[in-house]
Amino acid sequence: MPTSNEQSSPTPNGSVGHVHEYENAEHDPNLAADGVVPEAESPDDTASVHRGKRFKTAAGIPAVWQTLRYVWGNMGVIDGTKSLLDVNKVRGFDCQSCAWPSPDEHRKVAEFCENGAKAIGDEGTKARVTPEFFRQHSVKDLLGRSDFWLNKQGRLTHPMILREGATHYEPIDWKDAFKLIGEELNGLSSPNEATFYTSGKLTNEPAYLYQLFVREFGTNNLPDCSNLCHESSGTALNKVIGIGKGTVTLEDFHHTDLIFIVGQNPGTNHPRMLSSLEAAKDRGAKIISVNPLPETGNFRFQDPQNFKNPLKAAPTLLKNGMALSDLWLPVKINGDLALFKGIMKEMLAEEEKAPGSIFDLDFIRNHTVGYEDLLQSIREASWEEITEVSGLSRAQIRVAAEMAMQSKATIGCWAMGLTQHKNAVETIRESLNFLLLRGNIGRPGAGPCCVRGHSNVQGDRTMGIWERAPGPFLDALEKRHGFKPPREHGKDAVNSIVAMHEGEIKVFVSMGGNLLGAGPDTNYTAEAFQRCDLTVHIATKLNRSDLVTGRRALILPCLGRNEHDLKADGSHQFVTVEDSMGIINPSHGQLRPASEHLLSESRIVAEMAKATLGSRSKVPWDELAADYDRIRDDIAEVIPGF
């Protein structure tokens, strides 16, 4: 078993995921000048929050109404409707909201969920953050606003600079912004004094260019949001099956007998998954929900597009919808490892009565190692400890075990309810052990299903956004582009924060994301940013990371996913993303850009590279940024399978 240090990096105070809790706020030194709000934290905007009626069914007609109200209110009826009809279509654009895959065939008229519609409306909003906005609002003023308020102000329209000692952002020409970045990076004593962050919003083509620029610059400091969400999934999957991705496709949901949904609330976080669960239930599959809370999306679902059978659709729409979960296991927080140990202990008891009746011994013999060690650990686990740690009775665990033993094909789905613990890697490995015992991998209807959040967080890693890129990838990069990439491991997100805080990293560049909000200790992260010489944020909208800055700061606005990205001849470019199930999807922008001053993410990366590397680089940056087919040609030469 790996040690905890192999799975997660502690924050400086020694805990993982720690956030300050102020028992006596008025004496805390990190508070803003008014003594009420920590400078890095969003002001409280929950004054109107109240407890209302708990919905008992996910989706349905209320979700349709909320979707239209939000999108039309932000984008207008024409643009909003066009975007909703184009999202997740083959010739449309890929949703920004999550990484749940779209069907290869038979896509619905409305191939989106309520969350996706909100993301579309959010990015497509008519509101604008212009230079005049920054003249009216100082950085101090904006720090006093809530995150909700900042987001509502709309799309960024111009590149902006916060000069040393200034109180307000002011406009800057693109050329001058890139010159500043190049001078700052070239002035460092080592390329490792800079770090280059990304979020899973970034699509494949600019992600590939980004890591290419960073590695030719001379560092592997490529932290990204996956360091903070699903790193434990990739680590566990790599150790057990040799690749850091799940093995399940949408088609498997048509052939499965049993689905475990662990540490995940599809109704809130991946609502389009509910359609796959409904289809599986239609074919006779059973679902076990493992969740401390009775979250609505795990229990009942109303599909407002179920028109195939009006007699069936009417009662599900007008009444309580389709029941999803056959068993709910209200496990204690972080009691999942004990649960899987208990399920396997019940299975082992039956296997020992009749060898080969429960476990797939041929599969185990031919495709696994460590079987006897696993059995020993199961035997040594006491029921007293299993029930205490899991918070479940043996009878509850027995029901789950019987369902697992009756299933000929089982899918295990999980999300951040498993990944956000110190022992996350061990927990996910144990869930994979559970699947392997009955050969539930590599055949229809079975396997691990790691449900990612950001729309392209998996694709970014595939494109090389990783501080620990494998040797074969670096070899291929060197062969294709003619430079020697650095081989030493770079810094991940947490270690980048620590290095900024300690003055080892002086330049921070972010392609999307909000590391200040995502970091495990908000105020420590804020202090780290403030110790940088330059912070650069490439984004579509304003967030708090733009306001807690280095000595100087740049905001560089980019095109949104749903906006036209044109070649010089006026023809349309497209980008690609990789979903949770490893499928590459094209994404074509449909709307006019929010501002004529916006650049694509690929163009921004290319200009940063030119300003920094100059004649040292033989990479044809202008040609790559002008035609994304050229980028895809490079990807095909460097990354297996493309």
Side-chain angles (χ1 to χ4, degrees):
M1 287 289 184
T3 64
S4 60
N5 288 334
E6 289 179 270
Q7 302 142 31
S8 52
S9 301
T11 57
N13 55 32
S15 65
V16 174
H18 176 83
V19 177
H20 284 302
E21 295 179 359
Y22 299 105
E23 294 182 0
N24 189 348
E26 63 183 354
H27 293 107
D28 193 278
N30 289 320
L31 294 182
D34 58 11
V36 176
V37 181
E39 185 180 69
E41 300 279 6
S42 174
D44 181 26
D45 59 1
T46 61
S48 63
V49 172
H50 63 282
R51 179 177 295 179
K53 178 182 177 182
R54 176 176 176 269
F55 287 95
K56 297 182 179 180
T57 305
I61 299 300
V64 175
W65 167 243
Q66 290 296 332
T67 293
L68 295 176
R69 189 170 69 92
Y70 190 89
V71 173
W72 288 348
N74 278 271
M75 301 178 66
V77 174
I78 295 176
D79 283 350
T81 302
K82 176 176 173 54
S83 293
L84 291 178
L85 293 175
D86 287 336
V87 65
N88 293 324
K89 297 301 187 349
V90 175
R91 294 297 302 176
F93 67 99
D94 196 76
C95 182
Q96 308 96 322
S97 179
C98 78
W100 189 253
S102 299
D104 289 335
E105 300 177 359
H106 310 302
R107 299 194 183 187
K108 298 178 180 179
V109 173
E111 192 61 59
F112 59 87
C113 68
E114 185 178 354
N115 282 356
K118 287 181 178 178
I120 293 164
D122 194 63
E123 186 174 273
T125 177
K126 300 292 187 183
R128 299 289 182 262
V129 175
T130 64
E132 178 60 28
F133 171 89
F134 286 107
R135 281 191 287 270
Q136 293 175 359
H137 298 282
S138 68
V139 172
K140 182 179 179 181
D141 173 23
L142 294 173
L143 279 169
R145 310 286 183 153
S146 71
D147 289 345
F148 178 80
W149 186 90
L150 292 174
N151 183 69
K152 289 290 288 183
Q153 302 317 297
R155 290 287 302 279
L156 296 160
T157 61
H158 292 69
M160 306 295 295
I161 183 172
L162 183 66
R163 303 186 188 278
E164 186 173 6
T167 59
H168 292 67
Y169 272 99
E170 59 186 76
I172 183 173
D173 184 79
W174 276 109
K175 183 178 180 180
D176 292 336
F178 294 130
K179 180 182 178 183
L180 172 60
I181 294 170
E183 290 175 346
E184 201 74 37
L185 290 175
N186 287 325
L188 299 174
S189 59
S190 164
N192 291 324
E193 290 185 342
T195 195
F196 299 84
Y197 180 74
T198 64
S199 81
K201 169 190 173 293
L202 199 63
T203 54
N204 287 328
E205 289 74 13
Y208 180 84
L209 284 194
Y210 194 53
Q211 64 82 31
L212 179 62
F213 158 51
V214 171
R215 291 196 164 98
E216 189 169 19
F217 174 59
T219 183
N220 280 315
N221 288 347
L222 281 160
D224 74 327
C225 62
S226 66
N227 295 146
L228 303 168
C229 57
H230 268 289
E231 195 70 66
S232 49
S233 295
T235 300
L237 285 161
N238 265 304
K239 288 179 180 292
V240 177
I241 66 172
I243 186 171
K245 305 179 183 183
T247 67
V248 169
T249 68
L250 278 183
E251 181 65 21
D252 286 308
F253 283 84
H254 295 174
H255 304 285
T256 189
D257 294 332
L258 178 64
I259 304 168
F260 275 80
I261 302 175
V262 190
Q264 180 194 2
N265 178 20
T268 298
N269 299 311
H270 307 90
R272 284 203 300 148
M273 183 180 178
L274 295 175
S275 296
S276 297
L277 298 179
E278 180 191 37
K281 290 287 291 184
D282 265 344
R283 292 172 173 83
K286 296 185 181 301
I287 296 175
I288 296 176
S289 171
V290 182
N291 195 319
L293 296 175
E295 293 177 298
T296 301
N298 285 326
F299 288 90
R300 303 194 78 88
F301 171 54
Q302 288 180 339
D303 184 354
Q305 299 188 76
N306 188 356
F307 302 123
K308 294 175 293 184
N309 186 338
L311 294 178
K312 176 184 174 183
T316 59
L317 285 174
L318 299 177
K319 295 184 180 180
N320 293 324
M322 168 179 273
L324 290 180
S325 292
D326 297 274
L327 175 65
W328 170 45
L329 297 176
V331 69
K332 278 185 181 178
I333 292 176
N334 200 24
D336 309 273
L337 191 154
L339 166 63
F340 282 109
K341 187 77 76 176
I343 293 174
M344 290 189 291
K345 195 171 183 70
E346 290 285 8
M347 292 166 60
L348 178 57
E350 296 301 317
E351 172 69 16
E352 290 179 331
K353 294 176 185 177
S357 63
I358 302 299
F359 296 162
D360 189 336
L361 298 181
D362 286 340
F363 177 87
I364 291 168
R365 186 181 307 111
N366 295 323
H367 301 292
T368 71
V369 295
Y371 175 59
E372 293 299 334
D373 291 337
L374 175 62
L375 296 189
Q376 184 64 24
S377 73
I378 295 171
R379 293 188 182 104
E380 291 175 354
S382 71
W383 275 112
E384 181 180 11
E385 182 180 14
I386 288 171
T387 55
E388 170 62 26
V389 174
S390 70
L392 301 169
S393 68
R394 182 172 177 180
Q396 289 173 300
I397 295 173
R398 176 68 190 184
V399 174
E402 288 175 348
M403 293 171 68
M405 289 185 284
Q406 292 165 7
S407 169
K408 295 180 180 179
T410 300
I411 292 173
C413 301
W414 75 92
M416 291 173 66
L418 289 196
T419 67
Q420 299 296 289
H421 299 286
K422 289 183 180 180
N423 60 316
V425 172
E426 287 101 326
T427 299
I428 296 166
R429 289 179 68 179
E430 201 75 326
S431 71
L432 296 171
N433 287 337
F434 158 70
L435 292 174
L436 291 174
L437 282 176
R438 286 180 58 79
N440 281 307
I441 189 170
R443 56 189 174 86
C449 180
C450 173
V451 185
R452 310 281 182 175
H454 280 294
S455 62
N456 199 42
V457 66
Q458 185 158 294
D460 284 354
R461 178 62 56 86
T462 304
M463 293 297 108
I465 301 292
W466 195 17
E467 75 282 355
R468 293 180 287 121
F473 174 85
L474 298 176
D475 292 341
L477 208 62
E478 179 176 350
K479 180 179 178 181
R480 178 67 176 177
H481 296 289
F483 70 93
K484 292 188 177 299
R487 298 284 170 157
E488 70 275 12
H489 289 172
K491 296 187 183 301
D492 63 12
V494 169
N495 287 317
S496 289
I497 294 170
V498 173
M500 287 189 287
H501 198 276
E502 295 179 354
E504 297 173 6
I505 287 178
K506 298 177 172 60
V507 175
F508 172 82
V509 181
S510 174
M511 291 284 286
N514 180 0
L515 184 57
L516 179 66
D521 186 320
T522 305
N523 289 287
Y524 185 94
T525 304
E527 292 171 4
F529 280 174
Q530 291 168 331
R531 293 177 185 182
C532 289
D533 291 332
L534 177 67
T535 51
V536 180
H537 286 92
I538 301 157
T540 57
K541 303 188 77 176
L542 188 67
N543 67 49
R544 196 158 300 275
S545 287
D546 300 313
L547 309 175
V548 181
T549 71
R551 185 166 53 88
R552 290 183 290 180
L554 288 169
I555 299 175
L556 305 182
C558 62
L559 292 173
R561 181 81 59 85
N562 190 22
E563 291 175 331
H564 294 317
D565 187 352
L566 303 179
K567 298 180 183 180
D569 63 5
S571 60
H572 287 247
Q573 302 257 45
F574 72 91
V575 292
T576 60
V577 300
E578 179 183 354
D579 63 37
S580 278
M581 295 178 182
I583 306 301
I584 306 301
N585 300 280
S587 187
H588 305 77
Q590 306 293 316
L591 300 178
R592 180 180 301 163
S595 165
E596 62 181 4
H597 303 286
L598 303 183
L599 297 180
S600 72
E601 290 161 320
S602 293
R603 172 55 67 183
I604 291 173
V605 174
E607 295 298 332
M608 288 195 299
K610 289 163 53 184
T612 304
L613 303 174
S615 61
R616 305 197 307 268
S617 177
K618 298 299 186 287
V619 175
W621 295 105
D622 282 329
E623 295 176 22
L624 293 171
D627 186 351
Y628 301 163
D629 283 342
R630 288 289 307 273
I631 304 176
R632 287 185 279 271
D633 289 342
D634 283 352
I635 293 171
E637 291 295 321
V638 172
I639 303 173
F642 282 79

